[in-house]
Amino acid sequence: MKMKKIILLLMLILFSTFSFGLNTKDYENAGDIIQIALPISAATGSILYGDYEGLKQFAYSFSSTLATTYALKYSISRERPDGADDHSFPSGHTSASFSAASYIQMRYNWYLGAPAYLLASFVGYSRVRADRHYQSDVYAGAAIATAFSYLFTTKFSKKNFSITPTVSYETWGLRIAYKF
């Protein structure tokens, strides 16, 4: 329930930006805030759920995403649209926010994941609107993050007890497992 409140707060931040007729710098600032708030919210939500296995999975996914993103930024050296430097590809803001969004969706459900993806998409939009990235930079950041989340994240289950039918060439039966 607390994760829902955190996501609701982030959604209010996003939608409030549309009601004030913000300029490009304001969109960039909102994207800067959300790209930090979304991963913090994902980690905090896991802690509040008591889901330390999920927190570990998020740490693996997030750190792999950032390591890959920055390795590519410094090896590819693509100039930014505004000419500020040559670290445009891929978008680090987008990869950070999509790492959190895809983790939330994969670990918990689409009910929480959809708003997180909306916020992550806003971050990518803000980077293009601020002329800091090309669209392809944003797509690459999102793809890298989502791929690592799918690699490291499993579905959350509060079940401590499971019964699974098993069948092999010579035997059949039930596998009973209890997690202590």
Side-chain angles (χ1 to χ4, degrees):
M1 181 58 92
K2 293 180 184 183
M3 178 72 101
K4 293 176 187 175
K5 290 178 184 177
I6 292 169
I7 297 297
L8 179 61
L9 177 64
L10 291 173
M11 294 296 296
L12 290 173
I13 292 169
L14 170 67
F15 290 123
S16 69
T17 62
F18 294 115
S19 63
F20 298 117
L22 300 176
N23 63 35
T24 300
K25 187 66 177 165
D26 295 327
Y27 277 98
E28 184 177 13
N29 290 339
D32 289 345
I33 292 167
I34 294 169
Q35 71 103 13
I36 294 168
L38 201 52
I40 290 172
S41 298
T44 303
S46 292
I47 292 168
L48 293 175
Y49 272 139
D51 181 17
Y52 298 104
E53 177 62 29
L55 184 61
K56 184 171 75 172
Q57 292 174 11
F58 178 61
Y60 288 150
S61 174
F62 191 72
S63 59
S64 298
T65 295
L66 292 185
T68 302
T69 297
Y70 284 93
L72 289 171
K73 274 185 174 295
Y74 286 92
S75 62
I76 292 177
S77 298
R78 181 178 190 185
E79 186 176 355
R80 293 185 187 273
D82 65 358
D85 60 38
D86 62 349
H87 304 302
S88 184
F89 183 86
S91 170
H93 282 65
T94 306
S95 65
S97 58
F98 267 88
S99 183
S102 55
Y103 165 76
I104 291 168
Q105 179 266 314
M106 284 289 301
R107 185 74 179 162
Y108 300 110
N109 58 38
W110 273 103
Y111 180 75
L112 296 173
Y117 275 123
L118 183 62
L119 289 167
S121 297
F122 175 81
V123 171
Y125 168 77
S126 75
R127 302 306 289 165
V128 172
R129 180 174 173 144
D131 211 26
R132 298 290 291 160
H133 289 285
Y134 300 100
Q135 285 182 357
S136 58
D137 302 337
V138 168
Y139 296 147
I144 290 165
T146 303
F148 278 118
S149 287
Y150 274 79
L151 179 65
F152 289 112
T153 307
T154 60
K155 194 79 170 152
F156 178 67
S157 175
K158 289 187 178 180
K159 298 177 187 172
N160 291 333
F161 179 77
S162 67
I163 299 175
T164 310
T166 59
V167 178
S168 69
Y169 179 71
E170 297 177 353
T171 62
W172 59 273
L174 296 175
R175 179 179 161 258
I176 300 172
Y178 183 78
K179 183 178 178 182
F180 293 93

